[in-house]
Amino acid sequence: MRPFDPRLAKDIRPVRGTIGLTAVLHFFATALLIAQSILAAHVITNAFIWQRDLAESLPLLLAALGAWVGRTILVSASDSTARYFGLRSVAVARAEALKKLLAAPAHRLPLAAGEISTLLTRGIEGLEIYVARYLPQLVISALVPAAMVFVVFLLDPLSALILVITLPLIPLFMVLVGWFTNDQVEKHWQRVLAVSGTIADLLNGLPELKVFGRARAQAEAIQKLGDAQKVATMKVLRLSFLSALVLELLATISVALIAVGIGLRLVNGEMELWRGLAALIIAPEVYAPLRMLGVHFHAASDGLEAWARIKSLLDVEPLKFGEEVLPDGPLAVEWDDLVVQVGDSELRIPAGSADSEFFAIAGPSGCGKTTLIECILGLRTPISGSIRIRSGEKQLDLKQIDIQRCHKRLGYVGQSAWLGEGTVRDVVTMNSPRTISDAEILELFSHLNLELPLSTPISDRSQGVSIGQRRRLAVARALLRQPDLVILDEPVAALDVATELAVAHTLKQYAELGRTVIVVAHRESFIKAADEVLDFKRVRV
């Protein structure tokens, strides 16, 4: 586990503010701490050795008090600023990850949906502790001990020598403990993501699990994952307490050695009291930053692991397209023999074309029908072959087209159509580029054998309608936009034969208006209604 990734400061800009401002504030805070220590040593010497009155030492005492107040203010300002930049870093990291999720194709993402959900909600919060506490402490540990050792050297070279010898032991033990911590944190995160992903998948499929009586078995599996996560969490906590104990013990023994050395030389009259006191006051502060670095390292380990996974999302390369724009009018699609990488397999998709017709894609499950749709939509890049889009006399390769403008001219319905939340009217007119009347909606509903009042409320998970109604509402929304190209993936699943034929007839009528309709289908009656059918099977290359 690397203590600092330079790319974090590059990709998450608030991190730079944390590092820079913390370094400046703690530089002055350290200077005030040294001044406070020397002034306090002089006040004590004046009182006990020279027997001077309090009035004579009052200026020094007030100066030491002022140094303490100034140092307290600077440290508090540093903590508040680091906290602010930590929260800003979380917000920026979440925004960058979401931006990448929107731009990158789903099949290239390194994490499952449940894992991404956990990472961007609870998991990414650990980054705030890492930026607000660990990184500032890393800067402090690099600057403060060196400056203080130099001051101690000016006061007492022998104490400085002890510091130089014992100080490297703390980072050494931190590295040893860190090796074990890295392994335990990795296991902890794997179990957290496993539990979160399993719960997310369980919630999505809970109705089906209840129907088939498998919900209780899944609950037991989640309980086992939760127990394993608790064990991993306790191991991380035990390591944290162990490392804190080791660091405190080393610092205590080291300061004790310095104190013994100073005491013996003071008894023998070999050094001035104020020098010994100042060195002894400063010595514990030399070890303090490194001890706190070890403490914050464990607190920020989750943030480090979260950043590693966020970085894996940011490393996903988005698909690249051109800036060419096709003229208005119906869109036609043509593709050569495509070879597409799907997991460990390579699918060979036969050539085909669809131009102002009702075009059906048929074949057994897993043969690449949805994969072809994803390629046409620009969501997946084939290894070989090409896809061309034509409008009027102009034909362009898909890679040359401005894909965002092209998507605005498409109507797409996936296998799991998401409707949104609101009334039926709100749902079917969502993001429509034109004004749609109630009469137009109801007329299309009648063609689709869909009887739903436009005021019927629908939740964000499409509750309030059946699966078949949800699919037809998604088809209606796609057609009401009057797109130049309609792409539907299994639109008639869960429909009876009469309703299926009504949907097929509606799509055929829309194609007869000069538009292109591409549909992935399994049912024979629906396939027979198409003007042209492409049937293919999966081939491993």
Side-chain angles (χ1 to χ4, degrees):
M1 186 182 296
R2 297 175 63 180
F4 177 66
D5 185 352
R7 183 176 163 182
L8 180 62
K10 178 182 176 183
D11 292 345
I12 313 299
R13 296 188 64 180
V15 173
R16 306 176 200 173
T18 304
I19 296 174
L21 195 56
T22 299
V24 173
L25 291 175
H26 274 277
F27 172 79
F28 290 107
T30 301
L32 290 176
L33 174 61
I34 293 170
Q36 173 192 337
S37 302
I38 294 175
L39 290 170
H42 276 292
V43 170
I44 294 172
T45 302
N46 289 341
F48 290 95
I49 300 299
W50 307 115
Q51 302 294 318
R52 292 177 181 174
D53 295 334
L54 180 62
E56 295 182 59
S57 300
L58 188 59
L60 294 177
L61 188 60
L62 291 176
L65 182 61
W68 175 79
V69 171
R71 175 172 171 260
T72 302
I73 293 173
L74 288 175
V75 172
S76 178
S78 175
D79 291 343
S80 299
T81 305
R83 167 83 173 166
Y84 168 76
F85 281 115
L87 294 173
R88 287 287 305 140
S89 298
V90 171
V92 171
R94 183 180 282 122
E96 291 296 322
L98 287 172
K99 190 185 301 182
K100 179 63 70 172
L101 287 175
L102 293 175
H107 69 278
R108 291 190 180 183
L109 297 178
L111 301 175
E115 295 174 340
I116 292 175
S117 176
T118 302
L119 177 63
L120 295 184
T121 51
R122 171 179 170 271
I124 201 172
E125 296 299 330
L127 190 62
E128 187 264 327
I129 300 176
Y130 174 69
V131 174
R133 297 184 187 177
Y134 179 74
L135 287 185
Q137 196 63 43
L138 193 63
V139 175
I140 296 168
S141 300
L143 299 177
V144 172
M148 288 188 171
V149 167
F150 177 72
V151 173
V152 172
F153 175 77
L154 297 179
L155 295 171
D156 181 19
L158 182 58
S159 296
L161 179 62
I162 296 174
L163 288 173
V164 171
I165 294 173
T166 58
L167 200 59
L169 295 177
I170 294 180
L172 176 63
F173 277 90
M174 286 173 59
V175 170
L176 293 176
V177 175
W179 283 345
F180 291 102
T181 304
N182 183 31
D183 182 57
Q184 295 300 327
V185 170
E186 175 68 24
K187 291 180 180 178
H188 170 67
W189 256 92
Q190 288 176 355
R191 290 184 171 91
V192 168
L193 293 178
V195 172
S196 303
T198 302
I199 292 175
D201 293 337
L202 175 62
L203 291 176
N204 286 329
L206 188 57
E208 289 79 5
L209 290 172
K210 291 288 289 183
V211 169
F212 291 102
R214 299 296 300 167
R216 185 176 297 277
Q218 293 299 318
E220 294 173 355
I222 291 177
Q223 181 64 43
K224 291 180 180 179
L225 288 173
D227 292 340
Q229 179 191 346
K230 285 191 290 186
V231 171
T233 302
M234 292 306 299
K235 287 183 178 179
V236 172
L237 289 175
R238 281 198 296 269
L239 283 173
S240 300
F241 290 130
L242 175 63
S243 63
L245 176 62
V246 170
L247 297 181
E248 289 290 343
L249 184 62
L250 280 174
T252 302
I253 293 174
S254 301
V255 173
L257 290 175
I258 294 174
V260 170
I262 291 175
L264 291 174
R265 280 175 289 147
L266 286 173
V267 170
N268 295 329
E270 297 177 5
M271 70 180 304
E272 298 177 84
L273 177 61
W274 76 269
R275 289 180 177 275
L277 285 175
L280 193 58
I281 293 172
I282 294 174
E285 301 297 333
V286 177
Y287 298 99
L290 291 174
R291 297 203 318 269
M292 292 305 299
L293 181 64
V295 172
H296 290 319
F297 175 80
H298 293 289
S301 57
D302 279 349
L304 281 167
E305 200 62 39
W307 166 244
R309 282 166 167 74
I310 292 170
K311 189 169 62 174
S312 70
L313 288 179
L314 298 180
D315 287 338
V316 177
E317 286 292 331
L319 299 176
K320 297 179 180 179
F321 298 92
E323 299 179 352
E324 294 284 343
V325 179
L326 290 167
D328 293 336
L331 296 175
V333 185
E334 180 180 338
W335 59 92
D336 293 328
D337 290 329
L338 302 176
V339 177
V340 185
Q341 184 74 40
V342 180
D344 296 331
S345 303
E346 292 180 348
L347 304 183
R348 184 181 299 278
I349 299 174
S353 63
D355 183 2
S356 300
E357 61 183 349
F358 181 15
F359 186 89
I361 302 174
S365 298
C367 66
K369 302 186 298 298
T370 300
T371 301
L372 172 59
I373 294 297
E374 292 175 350
C375 291
I376 295 174
L377 292 171
L379 303 178
R380 189 184 290 269
T381 302
I383 299 173
S384 62
S386 64
I387 299 173
R388 295 172 296 280
I389 310 293
R390 186 179 72 255
S391 180
E393 299 298 325
K394 188 173 183 179
Q395 179 172 281
L396 295 172
D397 190 280
L398 186 62
K399 296 178 182 178
Q400 300 175 288
I401 296 175
D402 184 336
I403 198 65
Q404 292 184 346
R405 289 192 180 185
C406 185
H407 281 170
K408 292 179 180 180
R409 300 172 61 183
L410 302 181
Y412 171 66
V413 177
Q415 292 182 5
S416 300
W418 178 83
L419 296 180
E421 187 170 5
T423 64
V424 168
R425 176 177 174 76
D426 295 334
V427 166
V428 297
T429 59
M430 185 182 297
N431 299 325
S432 177
R434 66 187 189 88
T435 303
I436 304 172
S437 66
D438 291 352
E440 187 177 356
I441 298 173
L442 293 174
E443 182 182 359
L444 180 57
F445 279 10
S446 66
H447 290 308
L448 295 173
N449 281 1
L450 184 59
E451 296 181 2
L452 272 176
L454 298 185
S455 59
T456 302
I458 299 176
S459 74
D460 58 349
R461 293 187 63 83
S462 304
Q463 293 177 351
V465 293
S466 66
I467 296 177
Q469 289 174 326
R470 182 176 66 187
R471 292 181 182 276
R472 281 175 286 166
L473 283 173
V475 172
R477 180 166 63 187
L479 296 180
L480 286 170
R481 292 170 54 86
Q482 295 185 350
D484 297 320
L485 172 63
V486 180
I487 300 177
L488 311 174
D489 195 351
E490 300 285 357
V492 294
L495 298 182
D496 56 55
V497 176
T499 307
E500 173 191 331
L501 293 177
V503 173
H505 180 68
T506 303
L507 296 175
K508 191 174 182 68
Q509 284 184 321
Y510 190 78
E512 290 173 354
L513 297 176
R515 267 72 170 219
T516 301
V517 178
I518 301 177
V519 182
V520 172
H522 276 116
R523 297 187 179 180
E524 190 66 28
S525 57
F526 190 87
I527 294 172
K528 288 181 179 179
D531 298 321
E532 186 176 347
V533 179
L534 175 65
D535 195 354
F536 57 89
K537 297 180 180 179
R538 180 172 59 181
V539 178
R540 291 181 182 269
V541 180

